[in-house]
Amino acid sequence: MDLSASSLSKTHPPFSLSSTSSFSDQLTFHPNYVQLLRFRRSHCGLFLRNLPSISRQNNLPPARLSNQTFDNDGFVLEDVPHLTNFLPDLPSYPSPLQKSQAYSIVKNTFVNPEDVVAQTIVVQKDSRRGVHFRRAGPREKVYFKPEEVRACIVTCGGLCPGINTVIREIVCGLNNMYGVKDILGIEEGYKGFYSKNTLRLTPKLVSDIHKLGGTFLRTSRGGHDTHKIVDNIEDRGINQVYIIGGDGTQKGAALIYEEVEKRCLQVAVAGVPKTIDNDIAVIDKSFGFDTAVEEAQRAINAAHVEVNSVENGIGIVKLMGRYSGFIAMHATLASRDVDCCLIPESPFYLEGRGGLFEFIDQRLKENGHLVIVVAEGAGQEYVAAEVHTLEEKDASGNKLLLDVGPWLSNKIKDHFTKIRKIAVNMKYIDPTYMIRAIPSNASDNVYCTLLAHSAVHGAMAGYSGFTVGPVNSRHAYLPIARVTERPNTVELTGRMWARLLESTNQPSFVASDQQRVDKMIIEDTNTKNITSI
């Protein structure tokens, strides 16, 4: 199926605005009204200004606006900003990749400017074509001379396997593919911009950092002051900014882009989304996730060995997952030694018919032991009800979670020793910081390379205020607002969660007549999952 905008314009009239009615009035009658409004909101009023970028690259007159097509088949392109949106006279140059020995073997060295990636690939015969994103990759024209580029890289937020690989590949990609020599590392997160903590980065300096855990540039939470950061970017003559971080970090990147645009600076702002929890919306997965799942197997295996060696052994392994249980779910499926998996999306209860205590009792009778995996964000409402602590937040604005692991261990032990009068051997393992601090595995190393190169290609091509990631296994440039508007969560009505329930044979905790979960909690969870489908 040809998804190019040029082909669409031949067969389907583009969506256009008349001069006699308002923008919102005409959208109301458009079949993709909801998607268009979401797109308009996510671009913070830049909707119309984003339109001409492809037209200029194809030497088409700006009036054709061929990149933003809303046709009768429901094709929607959620575009990313381009420097020529506010610097229309910005010159372009032939890409240095035209002379690259490595890329000379590639059949199609450059991505067609009108190539797009579909957000939904499983469709029915008469379904609408839906939302698409601009395909990532090298362009034939670039908007920076390599000798005039001064790039910088910053890492923010918590640790995650693969950060050093992304840093390395941005440096090597800029240098080896485009001949950029002037690259700075901003140390200790956003505050490093205005505290003068910088490090000059070269391929030689970063050649082995992918073998190390953590971040070579160090990190911090908070410290974002948009005006100070952009002042420093301007003072230092930086014109490409690569920002590696999670939800809050990407929101900060969007603010930096907005200030850059306001000042009409030729500065490309590129984001690389990072979260070990895999809770970034739209993209297939986040880097470091595969490594985290693989490393979690070691903790689960240790728990299984421990409980299998004693009478009535109960092992609890707490894994990462503030608001989403992807690590816990995938680690459970991969292990096959887990009896029960508890995640934030699925409320559970302890007592009564169909509760966790009844399930544990049954498994102990059947097998003499069991292993429970619990995500750090699970059961927070129960812990909070007993601990009675004030809600606190970290420097990034994230809610500080209560420690569900020890709480659950104590509740289970008290129930079986004091009420059931059964001696149990509790084994509790929390590998959180061990998992966060390890280097990325082979799969994540390859993935981080693709992310880094996509960011470099996009910045050199003049795109800005974007983030990168795979959508249906094809890398794309995404509006930052799309990956920060809501977290990605496990679908309790999806096939993967059903596979887990089948594998563990655990109770669903929402099907029992005797459940003791507050009704409002269940309704709120169901609402969140419906909106994420």
Side-chain angles (χ1 to χ4, degrees):
M1 181 182 293
D2 186 4
L3 299 179
S4 67
S6 59
S7 66
L8 288 171
S9 62
K10 296 175 183 177
T11 57
H12 305 285
F15 179 67
S16 60
L17 299 175
S18 71
S19 58
T20 57
S21 61
S22 70
F23 183 88
S24 58
D25 287 343
Q26 293 182 62
L27 284 184
T28 305
F29 295 100
H30 189 267
N32 277 333
Y33 175 58
V34 175
Q35 290 179 326
L36 298 179
L37 286 184
R38 180 176 63 187
F39 175 77
R40 189 185 185 198
R41 286 197 303 269
S42 70
H43 282 67
C44 304
L46 298 177
F47 185 85
L48 293 178
R49 279 186 287 173
N50 282 345
L51 300 185
S53 57
I54 285 186
S55 299
R56 277 189 281 274
Q57 293 179 41
N58 290 339
N59 298 317
L60 299 176
R64 285 189 60 177
L65 307 181
S66 63
N67 69 315
Q68 201 64 58
T69 305
F70 301 96
D71 64 19
N72 293 331
D73 281 347
F75 177 96
V76 179
L77 173 62
E78 294 202 9
D79 207 357
V80 295
H82 194 273
L83 292 176
T84 54
N85 292 348
F86 56 90
L87 297 171
D89 298 324
L90 195 65
S92 62
Y93 312 96
S95 172
L97 289 179
Q98 293 181 359
K99 300 179 181 178
S100 169
Q101 181 178 353
Y103 274 80
S104 64
I105 66 170
V106 180
K107 184 177 180 181
N108 296 312
T109 301
F110 301 105
V111 171
N112 187 308
E114 293 185 349
D115 283 357
V116 295
V117 178
Q119 182 175 6
T120 302
I121 59 172
V122 178
V123 297
Q124 289 75 46
K125 180 180 178 182
D126 298 323
S127 62
R128 309 191 70 77
R129 297 178 67 176
V131 174
H132 297 73
F133 303 103
R134 189 179 293 274
R135 183 185 175 192
R139 264 53 178 179
E140 192 170 3
K141 298 290 184 181
V142 297
Y143 285 81
F144 293 92
K145 291 182 178 179
E147 63 272 15
E148 295 178 357
V149 171
R150 168 168 277 194
C152 75
I153 307 170
V154 64
T155 60
C156 307
L159 297 184
C160 174
I163 297 177
N164 282 334
T165 306
V166 176
I167 295 171
R168 182 190 190 279
E169 294 308 317
I170 290 176
V171 173
C172 294
L174 281 168
N175 187 283
N176 298 339
M177 292 189 293
Y178 290 99
V180 174
K181 307 296 182 183
D182 195 357
I183 309 169
L184 300 177
I186 307 298
E187 298 184 283
E188 298 182 13
Y190 275 134
K191 68 180 183 181
F193 277 102
Y194 49 84
S195 59
K196 305 295 183 182
N197 297 326
T198 60
L199 180 67
R200 192 163 296 278
L201 302 177
T202 64
K204 183 176 181 180
L205 182 64
V206 302
S207 62
D208 291 326
I209 65 173
H210 63 293
K211 301 174 184 177
L212 306 173
T215 165
F216 177 72
L217 297 176
R218 297 194 302 242
T219 185
S220 67
R221 294 189 182 276
H224 183 93
D225 187 316
T226 304
H227 291 283
K228 281 186 179 181
I229 291 172
V230 179
D231 284 345
N232 196 259
I233 289 172
E234 193 170 4
D235 292 342
R236 292 182 179 179
I238 294 170
N239 51 20
Q240 289 187 11
V241 182
Y242 297 91
I243 300 174
I244 306 167
D247 177 78
T249 301
Q250 297 304 313
K251 289 178 181 177
L255 293 175
I256 292 173
Y257 165 72
E258 290 173 9
E259 184 63 22
V260 163
E261 184 198 34
K262 191 183 300 181
R263 301 187 191 187
C264 290
L265 303 176
Q266 187 186 348
V267 177
V269 180
V272 179
K274 169 198 68 68
T275 170
I276 201 170
D277 294 345
N278 195 40
D279 60 356
I280 296 178
V282 183
I283 67 174
D284 296 345
K285 66 178 178 179
S286 54
F287 74 81
F289 175 70
D290 281 351
T291 304
V293 172
E294 182 178 308
E295 188 66 15
Q297 302 301 295
R298 302 177 189 273
I300 294 173
N301 183 61
H304 183 254
V305 170
E306 287 284 347
V307 301
N308 201 30
S309 302
V310 296
E311 184 180 8
N312 291 332
I314 301 176
I316 295 180
V317 179
K318 189 185 81 171
L319 298 177
M320 289 158 290
R322 295 179 61 85
Y323 306 112
S324 59
F326 286 105
I327 292 179
M329 178 175 69
H330 282 258
T332 295
L333 281 169
S335 169
R336 301 292 174 172
D337 286 330
V338 177
D339 296 274
C340 184
C341 177
L342 306 175
I343 61 175
E345 295 89 336
S346 179
F348 66 92
Y349 55 102
L350 301 177
E351 301 177 354
R353 181 182 175 186
L356 184 60
F357 289 157
E358 181 184 76
F359 175 73
I360 294 173
D361 192 24
Q362 178 185 351
R363 280 297 164 95
L364 288 178
K365 291 177 181 178
E366 293 174 354
N367 302 328
H369 63 271
L370 84 159
V371 175
I372 299 173
V373 165
V374 57
E376 61 181 326
Q380 287 296 306
E381 64 275 14
Y382 302 116
V383 188
E386 293 191 10
V387 176
H388 301 295
T389 59
L390 296 176
E391 183 175 309
E392 299 180 36
K393 295 184 179 181
D394 62 20
S396 298
N398 298 315
K399 179 182 176 182
L400 291 176
L401 299 180
L402 301 171
D403 201 339
V404 66
W407 173 86
L408 184 60
S409 297
N410 291 331
K411 296 295 287 186
I412 293 173
K413 187 173 183 179
D414 288 347
H415 174 80
F416 281 92
T417 57
K418 296 179 181 179
I419 299 177
R420 296 280 291 128
K421 306 299 182 181
I422 299 174
V424 294
N425 286 286
M426 294 296 305
K427 309 295 180 181
Y428 175 62
I429 298 177
D430 181 356
T432 298
Y433 292 105
M434 295 176 63
I435 293 175
R436 282 170 33 133
I438 64 172
S440 52
N441 63 12
S443 173
D444 270 322
N445 272 337
V446 174
Y447 179 32
C448 289
T449 300
L450 297 178
L451 287 174
H453 287 187
S454 293
V456 168
H457 292 317
M460 290 297 297
Y463 296 112
S464 186
F466 69 93
T467 190
V468 297
V471 179
N472 294 316
S473 300
R474 293 290 184 270
H475 282 252
Y477 297 136
L478 311 169
I480 291 177
R482 281 306 308 273
V483 300
T484 60
E485 62 185 1
R486 63 171 179 82
N488 186 30
T489 56
V490 173
E491 294 181 8
L492 298 184
T493 55
R495 295 180 184 273
M496 191 61 76
W497 184 245
R499 293 185 184 104
L500 181 139
L501 296 178
E502 187 274 332
S503 172
T504 62
N505 200 27
Q506 70 186 61
S508 66
F509 297 113
V510 294
S512 172
D513 302 341
Q514 306 294 323
Q515 64 177 300
R516 299 186 181 184
V517 183
D518 185 85
K519 184 178 180 181
M520 292 180 63
I521 295 176
I522 299 176
E523 291 176 347
D524 180 60
T525 303
N526 288 339
T527 301
K528 290 178 181 177
N529 285 312
I530 289 172
T531 58
S532 67
I533 293 175

